[in-house]
Structures are given as C-alpha cells and as structure tokens.
Amino acid sequence: QVSGYLDDCTCDVETIDKFNNYRLFPRLQKLLESDYFRYYKVNLKRPCPFWNDISQCGRRDCAVKPCHSDEVPDGIKSASYKYSEEANSLIEECEQAERLGAVDESLSEETQKAVLQWTKHDDSSDNFCEVDDIQSPDAEYVDLLLNPERYTGYKGPDAWKIWNVIYEENCFKPQTIKRPLNPLASGQGKSEENTFYSWLEGLCVEKRAFYRLISGLHASINVHLSARYLLQDTWLEKKWGHNITEFQQRFDGILTEGEGPRRLKNLYFLYLIELRALSKVVPFFERPDFQLFTGNKDQDAENKMLLLEILHEIKSFPLHFDENSFFAGNKKEANKLKEDFRLHFRNISRIMDCVGCLKCRLWGKLQTQGLGTALKILFSEKLIANMPESGPSYEFHLTRQEIVSLFNAFGRISTSVKELENFRNLLQNIH
C-alpha cells in the first residue's frame, strides 16, 4: 500500500527506494562508522522541564555506556574549541588539562567565558533545537556504534505520554480534534479519523508538513525497534532481529485501520526534507577550510572525500522537495509562522529530556537535533549563498554536534527505508 506519489511533493516512493537502497545507504553507513561521526557528546542528565514524576527504565537494555575519555580521539575532544583565532590560542591550555586527566571544570575562568561566548553564538535565533550545553560536566561522549538504537522494552503509558505531549501540544492541533489510534484516548471510531484528516488537509502546507515530519520520525523509530528486536534473551546470548508481528502491529493497513501506510508515507516525506537540506548545505562542506577533524590526517582527508561524494550523489537526486512553497505568502504572516514552527520544534527537543529510557533519550535527542539542523539549513538559503570561500563563516555555521546529528539522523531514516525493503521481502515469503 505504500507506493506511488507522496502528498505535498512531486516524488514517488519507488524512486526514493531505488536511490536510497542502492546508491546512498552503503556509502552513508561507511561514513557513519568513522570516528568523526560515531562519537556524539550528549547530556543525558538534564532534568525534564515539564513534569517531575519521570520513571526511569531500569532495564539494562535502556542503559547507555558513555566513553572513557581515552577512547575518544584527542582531535575530536579539542575540535569542539576550534571556532576562531581567539579560541585556537586556548586549545593548548585545554589539551594540557586533558593530558593531566582533568575534566572540564579545570578550564580557567577566561576559557570558560570564551566557551560561553561560542555557545551563545551557536544558540542563535536560527536554531530549531534546545541545544545541550556540551561544556557541562554532565555532558559525556557516547559511541553510537556501541549504543545502537534498538528495542529496549521501554513502552506503555510512559512512552505514550511523551508522544502524546508532542502531538497534542506541539503540532498546531486543537484539543477538539482527536488523533487516530491514540492509545491514551478511548473509544475512537471512523468519524474521528475522518475529522482528523479533513482538519489536516485544511491546514496550511507548513503546519501540515510539521505534523508529517513528527509522524515520520515516530514511524522511523518504530521501524528500527521492529527491525532490531530482542528475539531471544538467554544467559548464553542475546539475539536481535526482525520481528514481523511487531512490524505488522504498527504498520499493517488492516490492523491499523489504514493508519500504518500513512505513517510510512510520512517517513518518506521526512526522508525528502532531510535529503533536500543535505543538498542545500553542500557549499559549507566544500570549503577548503572545512575538515572532519579527528587528528588523523589521512583518515580525515579520506572521510571528507567520501562525505563530498555522498553529498554530490544527493545533489543529483532528480525529484527533490521544493521548499519554496514554505513561508511563501505575506511576509509578516510568513515570519510569524516560521517563528511558531521553530518554537514548536524547540519545545519538542526539550521534551526529549523527559524520556525515561536513557538509550531512547540519546537517540531521540540526536534525531531531533538532526532534523532541527536540517530545518535550520532549509531556512538559511541566503546565508549559505553568501558564505566566504575561506575563513570563518559567521553568518552561517554548523557546530560539530550539528554535523554529527544531521548525518546520523539522516542515516537512521535511510536505514528505515532500507529496512522497509527487508520487511517487504520477509512478508512476501510468509504469504
């Protein structure tokens, strides 16, 4: 049932499948396994800003194993400071502190002030996410390859509550309109579903796109959980793999009363939005000054070549989403809408601190930051066009955090599209 053209754009599912599964996915996976992209700095100890009764998932599959400081390449640790001439003069001091086995608190007052300045610069009004303070002593590097996104057993009312707050309070939806298949609402029928979709169709394209991006992200996460499901757990071994029943419960057209295929189409819509952002940001990565700095010169140069290869492949995609339809009306209204869009999305990034399972929180934060970075790129077209070819770009800048989250978030959606092909084949073998 998931085939043909997608709403609000001129692209079809089959074109994306072919392009992703055979041309993009293998190379993207290789890039994401490199040191630059596998280490992500995150603060998993930030308190939930919305409610206090957050129940932590005690299962070991929910846990996140942070890196010891000697596991992370020195280049990555010091690269967070490579912002400006002023910053570079402070690197030695930081590296010296690092060598003495000290943590961030050992930075001099002067350094801390400078770091604060750069953080403020990053947290400018263009950002769609509430950014983690990565200079905080609570922020730690996590190896994403050792903490993969998969089924953790975190489900039920706690998990529903998170998604409920996201959809009900942050997707421009009035309380009177009921969401189909909402596990926290009772006795819904066909009429609610019809009301919901006629409401959605009546929205302006931007608000409808916002809902579809969130629904697409939700669908993508559910595809991963179904594809890397704990099938067997004995004292000898744990076996992870595809759980067809779980997948069908979440996406089968009949079991979900038509909702599943819609969700999967939203996943393709999200894919197109992030793909478009990557095609737009090519000039930033093409600048000779830009490097995927880890301190290993040969490897860094090789990775940059692979990165540019992937980006040029993305640029060649024939049916890119046309974001010019966004915020195209009356300038004053368009700016207000854009600001609402940004604030709603920032709020969603804050809700991630309320997720009770740390591994889910890690991947939730990374994927919302990645999508937030994609939106920032799409709405910074003029700034990207005016970037200097060399030297620092003050108007448009991406931090290492944003780069790592952007590519890993797109890597997750790319994996979902590939997994749909795997599930399609598995289901064909059953029937």
Side-chain angles (χ1 to χ4, degrees), residues 207-267:
K207 289 183 179 178
R208 187 163 61 245
F210 191 95
Y211 168 80
R212 294 183 63 200
L213 289 174
I214 300 306
S215 167
L217 182 61
H218 194 176
S220 179
I221 289 169
N222 281 334
V223 171
H224 304 147
L225 305 189
S226 308
R228 298 190 76 166
Y229 199 90
L230 184 56
L231 299 174
Q232 192 183 332
D233 187 6
T234 64
W235 64 276
L236 266 177
E237 62 158 353
K238 282 186 165 205
K239 194 173 165 214
W240 305 85
H242 294 85
N243 184 329
I244 297 172
T245 313
E246 185 75 20
F247 180 79
Q248 286 176 306
Q249 277 172 349
R250 294 173 189 269
F251 298 111
D252 180 87
I254 294 163
L255 294 176
T256 62
E257 298 164 22
E259 190 59 20
R262 283 193 186 110
R263 290 171 180 168
L264 292 176
K265 282 200 162 186
N266 291 340
L267 160 65

XYZ file of all heavy atoms in Angstrom, residues 207-267:
512
model
N 2.126 23.898 8.352
C 1.681 23.203 9.565
C 1.446 21.716 9.278
O 1.706 20.866 10.127
C 0.410 23.861 10.117
C 0.690 25.235 10.731
C -0.562 25.851 11.335
C -0.264 27.207 11.967
N -1.467 27.840 12.505
N 0.937 21.446 8.091
C 0.727 20.036 7.711
C 2.086 19.325 7.622
O 2.253 18.197 8.075
C -0.016 19.962 6.368
C -0.411 18.545 5.988
C -1.454 18.483 4.914
N -1.049 19.090 3.667
C -1.615 20.167 3.133
N -2.612 20.767 3.775
N -1.208 20.659 1.982
N 3.066 20.016 7.037
C 4.413 19.435 6.921
C 4.994 19.171 8.306
O 5.637 18.139 8.532
C 5.323 20.381 6.142
N 4.752 20.075 9.244
C 5.285 19.911 10.601
C 4.760 18.607 11.208
O 5.529 17.792 11.724
C 4.862 21.100 11.473
C 5.577 21.161 12.798
C 6.711 21.939 12.943
C 5.122 20.439 13.892
C 7.383 22.001 14.160
C 5.791 20.490 15.108
C 6.925 21.279 15.241
N 3.432 18.411 11.108
C 2.838 17.181 11.642
C 3.437 15.955 10.955
O 3.778 14.956 11.594
C 1.307 17.188 11.454
C 0.709 15.833 11.724
C 0.489 15.409 13.034
C 0.429 14.944 10.680
C -0.010 14.135 13.296
C -0.065 13.675 10.937
C -0.282 13.276 12.246
O -0.757 12.011 12.511
N 3.612 16.037 9.636
C 4.092 14.871 8.890
C 5.547 14.543 9.215
O 5.944 13.383 9.209
C 3.911 15.108 7.385
C 2.419 15.192 7.019
C 2.201 15.352 5.546
N 2.692 14.197 4.831
C 2.984 14.199 3.539
N 2.829 15.305 2.837
N 3.419 13.114 2.942
N 6.338 15.575 9.516
C 7.733 15.326 9.907
C 7.791 14.581 11.239
O 8.561 13.624 11.402
C 8.491 16.656 10.043
C 8.787 17.410 8.746
C 9.406 18.769 9.042
C 9.708 16.595 7.849
N 6.949 15.007 12.194
C 6.949 14.359 13.516
C 6.421 12.928 13.387
O 6.978 11.985 13.950
C 6.093 15.165 14.529
C 6.647 16.600 14.685
C 6.029 14.463 15.871
C 8.128 16.693 15.045
N 5.365 12.755 12.601
C 4.809 11.420 12.380
C 5.842 10.531 11.670
O 5.996 9.342 11.990
C 3.528 11.533 11.532
O 3.142 10.272 11.064
N 6.581 11.108 10.729
C 7.616 10.359 10.004
C 8.741 9.920 10.919
O 9.248 8.793 10.838
N 9.103 10.812 11.855
C 10.158 10.475 12.822
C 9.691 9.343 13.735
O 10.429 8.396 14.013
C 10.498 11.728 13.646
C 11.623 11.599 14.678
C 12.943 11.236 14.010
C 11.795 12.904 15.453
N 8.441 9.429 14.177
C 7.838 8.394 15.029
C 7.836 7.048 14.284
O 8.213 6.010 14.839
C 6.399 8.836 15.360
C 5.774 8.068 16.479
N 4.521 8.378 16.975
C 6.197 7.001 17.191
C 4.221 7.521 17.943
N 5.220 6.676 18.091
N 7.445 7.089 13.012
C 7.398 5.860 12.206
C 8.804 5.278 12.045
O 9.016 4.069 12.193
C 6.794 6.162 10.827
N 9.774 6.137 11.783
C 11.145 5.680 11.577
C 11.671 4.969 12.827
O 12.271 3.894 12.757
C 12.043 6.876 11.226
O 13.371 6.451 11.044
N 11.419 5.570 13.983
C 11.868 4.966 15.244
C 11.199 3.598 15.428
O 11.837 2.615 15.819
C 11.567 5.915 16.435
C 12.506 7.134 16.361
C 11.707 5.198 17.781
C 12.154 8.272 17.299
N 9.912 3.495 15.094
C 9.205 2.220 15.233
C 9.715 1.159 14.252
O 9.698 -0.034 14.560
C 7.696 2.425 15.049
C 7.063 2.992 16.313
O 7.590 2.796 17.404
N 5.963 3.703 16.171
N 10.172 1.596 13.082
C 10.772 0.638 12.131
C 12.055 0.064 12.739
O 12.286 -1.149 12.711
C 11.071 1.303 10.758
C 11.889 0.361 9.879
C 9.775 1.668 10.037
N 12.887 0.935 13.340
C 14.144 0.442 13.938
C 13.860 -0.553 15.059
O 14.543 -1.563 15.183
C 14.963 1.595 14.532
C 15.277 2.671 13.551
N 15.380 4.001 13.882
C 15.486 2.607 12.224
C 15.640 4.700 12.798
N 15.697 3.887 11.784
N 12.853 -0.223 15.889
C 12.559 -1.090 17.036
C 12.055 -2.454 16.561
O 12.313 -3.472 17.192
C 11.523 -0.440 17.959
C 11.859 0.977 18.471
C 10.874 1.425 19.530
C 13.276 1.048 19.024
N 11.352 -2.470 15.437
C 10.847 -3.739 14.902
C 11.954 -4.519 14.188
O 11.917 -5.744 14.125
C 9.708 -3.487 13.902
O 8.732 -2.654 14.464
N 12.936 -3.800 13.640
C 14.000 -4.455 12.870
C 15.133 -4.958 13.772
O 15.837 -5.901 13.429
C 14.569 -3.484 11.833
N 15.297 -4.292 14.934
C 16.338 -4.757 15.870
C 15.646 -5.087 17.190
O 15.802 -4.408 18.199
C 17.413 -3.685 16.057
C 18.124 -3.370 14.760
C 19.340 -2.490 14.956
N 20.472 -3.221 15.488
C 21.719 -2.744 15.495
N 21.971 -1.555 14.997
N 22.714 -3.443 16.007
N 14.856 -6.134 17.133
C 14.013 -6.538 18.262
C 14.734 -7.642 19.032
O 15.440 -8.466 18.439
C 12.678 -7.058 17.717
C 11.568 -7.085 18.738
C 10.746 -5.982 18.914
C 11.345 -8.213 19.529
C 9.716 -5.996 19.852
C 10.327 -8.235 20.472
C 9.520 -7.124 20.631
O 8.506 -7.134 21.559
N 14.535 -7.670 20.343
C 15.157 -8.726 21.145
C 14.337 -10.003 20.971
O 13.279 -10.165 21.555
C 15.208 -8.294 22.614
C 15.922 -9.245 23.575
C 17.347 -9.523 23.135
C 15.929 -8.666 24.985
N 14.853 -10.902 20.130
C 14.097 -12.116 19.804
C 14.360 -13.225 20.827
O 13.542 -14.095 21.048
C 14.492 -12.615 18.405
C 14.220 -11.642 17.241
C 14.780 -12.201 15.949
C 12.725 -11.377 17.093
N 15.550 -13.204 21.409
C 15.912 -14.273 22.335
C 16.841 -13.708 23.395
O 17.801 -12.991 23.072
C 16.650 -15.361 21.531
C 16.835 -16.649 22.285
C 17.647 -17.638 21.437
O 17.602 -17.584 20.217
N 18.384 -18.509 22.070
N 16.565 -13.996 24.654
C 17.406 -13.467 25.727
C 17.692 -14.588 26.716
O 16.886 -14.879 27.591
C 16.682 -12.299 26.420
C 17.566 -11.602 27.422
O 18.762 -11.946 27.497
O 17.076 -10.707 28.147
N 18.817 -15.271 26.540
C 19.194 -16.332 27.476
C 20.519 -15.933 28.109
O 21.169 -14.981 27.671
C 19.383 -17.676 26.739
O 20.494 -17.522 25.833
C 18.144 -18.056 25.963
N 20.947 -16.671 29.122
C 22.217 -16.316 29.778
C 23.386 -16.558 28.831
O 24.462 -16.007 28.999
C 22.379 -17.080 31.103
C 22.468 -18.571 30.945
C 21.431 -19.429 30.836
C 23.655 -19.355 30.872
N 21.881 -20.725 30.685
C 23.259 -20.701 30.719
C 25.019 -19.073 30.929
C 24.168 -21.754 30.609
C 25.924 -20.119 30.837
C 25.514 -21.436 30.671
N 23.151 -17.349 27.795
C 24.222 -17.609 26.824
C 24.372 -16.474 25.820
O 25.467 -16.040 25.507
C 23.907 -18.908 26.057
C 24.523 -20.186 26.609
C 24.065 -21.372 25.781
C 26.053 -20.106 26.610
N 23.230 -16.036 25.292
C 23.321 -14.987 24.255
C 22.020 -14.197 24.125
O 20.964 -14.629 24.556
C 23.653 -15.617 22.888
C 22.578 -16.579 22.397
C 22.606 -16.792 20.882
O 23.367 -16.113 20.179
O 21.834 -17.653 20.424
N 22.192 -13.024 23.518
C 21.024 -12.213 23.152
C 20.945 -12.223 21.650
O 21.968 -12.042 20.972
C 21.221 -10.764 23.617
C 20.981 -10.579 25.065
C 21.035 -9.117 25.427
C 20.439 -8.933 26.806
N 19.921 -7.644 27.047
N 19.738 -12.408 21.128
C 19.607 -12.442 19.670
C 18.648 -11.334 19.239
O 17.507 -11.285 19.703
C 19.074 -13.816 19.248
C 19.211 -14.083 17.769
C 18.825 -15.520 17.432
C 18.632 -15.640 15.935
N 17.588 -16.569 15.570
N 19.164 -10.435 18.369
C 18.358 -9.316 17.880
C 18.022 -9.560 16.416
O 18.835 -10.085 15.663
C 19.131 -7.999 18.001
C 19.626 -7.722 19.375
C 20.786 -8.173 19.930
C 18.977 -6.950 20.386
N 20.901 -7.724 21.228
C 19.818 -6.976 21.531
C 17.774 -6.246 20.441
C 19.489 -6.314 22.711
C 17.454 -5.586 21.615
C 18.288 -5.627 22.736
N 16.823 -9.176 16.002
C 16.491 -9.356 14.584
C 15.124 -8.783 14.258
O 14.514 -8.064 15.059
N 14.627 -9.126 13.058
C 13.347 -8.587 12.581
C 12.179 -9.274 13.273
O 12.098 -10.504 13.258
C 13.225 -8.793 11.065
C 14.233 -7.999 10.288
N 15.513 -8.452 10.049
C 14.146 -6.774 9.710
C 16.186 -7.532 9.359
N 15.384 -6.516 9.144
N 11.292 -8.473 13.848
C 10.086 -9.027 14.458
C 8.900 -8.627 13.560
O 8.431 -7.487 13.600
C 9.913 -8.466 15.877
C 8.717 -9.084 16.590
O 7.738 -9.450 15.959
N 8.795 -9.176 17.904
N 8.456 -9.581 12.756
C 7.426 -9.281 11.752
C 6.094 -8.933 12.416
O 5.388 -8.021 11.978
C 7.266 -10.477 10.772
C 8.581 -10.673 10.014
C 6.131 -10.241 9.795
C 8.645 -11.905 9.172
N 5.776 -9.628 13.505
C 4.499 -9.364 14.201
C 4.466 -7.935 14.725
O 3.481 -7.212 14.564
C 4.327 -10.357 15.383
O 4.621 -11.652 14.897
C 2.933 -10.304 15.946
N 5.575 -7.527 15.342
C 5.676 -6.162 15.888
C 5.508 -5.138 14.765
O 4.798 -4.147 14.890
C 7.057 -6.006 16.558
C 7.273 -4.691 17.278
C 6.547 -4.595 18.617
O 6.167 -5.643 19.196
O 6.339 -3.459 19.065
N 6.170 -5.409 13.641
C 6.098 -4.501 12.487
C 4.650 -4.387 11.981
O 4.147 -3.302 11.711
C 7.022 -5.013 11.374
C 7.017 -4.155 10.144
C 7.742 -2.974 10.096
C 6.267 -4.507 9.024
C 7.739 -2.163 8.968
C 6.248 -3.702 7.889
C 6.988 -2.534 7.858
N 3.982 -5.554 11.884
C 2.595 -5.547 11.386
C 1.651 -4.813 12.336
O 0.765 -4.081 11.901
C 2.111 -6.986 11.169
C 2.736 -7.613 9.923
C 2.322 -9.065 9.765
O 2.498 -9.867 10.689
N 1.772 -9.415 8.623
N 1.868 -5.009 13.636
C 1.002 -4.324 14.609
C 1.110 -2.809 14.473
O 0.167 -2.078 14.702
C 1.383 -4.737 16.030
C 0.718 -6.048 16.415
C 1.242 -6.580 17.742
O 2.233 -6.097 18.285
N 0.570 -7.587 18.259
N 2.289 -2.333 14.098
C 2.494 -0.896 13.994
C 2.119 -0.328 12.630
O 1.786 0.848 12.520
C 3.965 -0.556 14.295
C 4.361 -0.848 15.744
C 5.863 -0.650 15.937
N 6.342 -1.104 17.243
C 6.431 -0.350 18.325
N 6.042 0.900 18.273
N 6.899 -0.831 19.456
N 2.218 -1.159 11.577
C 2.083 -0.588 10.225
C 1.108 -1.291 9.280
O 0.806 -0.753 8.228
C 3.462 -0.534 9.545
C 4.447 0.339 10.265
C 5.543 -0.210 10.925
C 4.269 1.714 10.319
C 6.453 0.604 11.602
C 5.167 2.536 10.986
C 6.261 1.974 11.629
N 0.651 -2.495 9.609
C -0.225 -3.215 8.679
C -1.507 -2.410 8.415
O -2.140 -1.909 9.347
C -0.575 -4.572 9.288
C -1.477 -5.375 8.372
O -0.949 -6.088 7.499
O -2.708 -5.268 8.497
N -1.875 -2.296 7.140
C -3.031 -1.482 6.748
C -4.311 -1.892 7.448
O -5.086 -1.044 7.910
N -4.529 -3.195 7.570
C -5.784 -3.676 8.168
C -5.735 -3.529 9.691
O -6.648 -2.992 10.312
C -6.063 -5.141 7.752
C -6.315 -5.198 6.243
C -7.265 -5.707 8.508
C -6.208 -6.565 5.632
N -4.642 -3.977 10.301
C -4.533 -3.924 11.765
C -4.551 -2.490 12.302
O -4.982 -2.247 13.427
C -3.243 -4.617 12.237
C -3.141 -6.134 12.007
C -1.790 -6.657 12.437
C -4.245 -6.871 12.773
N -4.070 -1.545 11.499
C -4.026 -0.148 11.980
C -5.120 0.697 11.330
O -5.077 1.924 11.377
C -2.652 0.502 11.670
O -2.496 0.526 10.242
C -1.509 -0.251 12.297
N -6.086 0.035 10.703
C -7.221 0.725 10.042
C -6.735 1.813 9.080
O -7.220 2.941 9.072
C -8.140 1.350 11.100
C -8.757 0.319 12.022
C -9.345 0.941 13.280
O -9.647 2.142 13.266
O -9.491 0.209 14.277
N -5.701 1.459 8.289
C -5.221 2.386 7.255
C -4.206 3.400 7.741
O -3.611 4.146 6.961
N -3.976 3.419 9.053
C -3.074 4.432 9.628
C -1.597 4.117 9.340
O -0.790 5.018 9.088
C -3.335 4.497 11.145
C -2.682 5.621 11.885
C -3.052 7.011 11.400
O -4.094 7.182 10.732
O -2.281 7.935 11.682
N -1.247 2.813 9.375
C 0.155 2.402 9.181
C 0.762 2.892 7.879
O 1.828 3.528 7.879
N 0.100 2.617 6.721
C 0.658 3.099 5.446
C 0.817 4.620 5.410
O 1.769 5.142 4.840
C -0.369 2.620 4.413
C -0.971 1.402 5.035
C -1.029 1.699 6.506
N -0.097 5.349 6.055
C 0.032 6.816 6.104
C 1.289 7.219 6.864
O 2.014 8.127 6.477
C -1.183 7.433 6.808
C -2.434 7.499 5.947
C -3.430 8.423 6.660
N -4.707 8.441 5.969
C -5.831 7.908 6.441
N -5.823 7.288 7.610
N -6.959 7.995 5.758
N 1.520 6.520 7.967
C 2.717 6.814 8.779
C 3.984 6.580 7.964
O 4.942 7.343 8.054
C 2.747 5.922 10.022
C 1.680 6.284 11.040
C 1.625 5.230 12.141
N 0.604 5.552 13.132
C 0.190 4.711 14.068
N 0.703 3.489 14.128
N -0.733 5.070 14.933
N 3.976 5.481 7.199
C 5.174 5.173 6.413
C 5.378 6.194 5.292
O 6.505 6.539 4.953
C 5.093 3.745 5.847
C 5.178 2.645 6.921
C 4.990 1.270 6.306
C 6.505 2.695 7.671
N 4.279 6.714 4.743
C 4.430 7.770 3.732
C 5.027 9.029 4.361
O 5.791 9.756 3.728
C 3.085 8.074 3.061
C 2.708 7.032 2.012
C 1.679 7.556 1.032
C 1.652 6.699 -0.226
N 0.775 7.224 -1.260
N 4.677 9.268 5.625
C 5.265 10.411 6.329
C 6.766 10.212 6.554
O 7.538 11.171 6.556
C 4.560 10.655 7.665
C 3.133 11.163 7.467
O 2.800 11.676 6.400
N 2.293 11.016 8.478
N 7.163 8.939 6.734
C 8.590 8.628 6.863
C 9.321 9.012 5.564
O 10.408 9.606 5.594
C 8.746 7.135 7.171
C 10.083 6.456 6.900
C 11.172 7.029 7.790
C 9.993 4.962 7.138
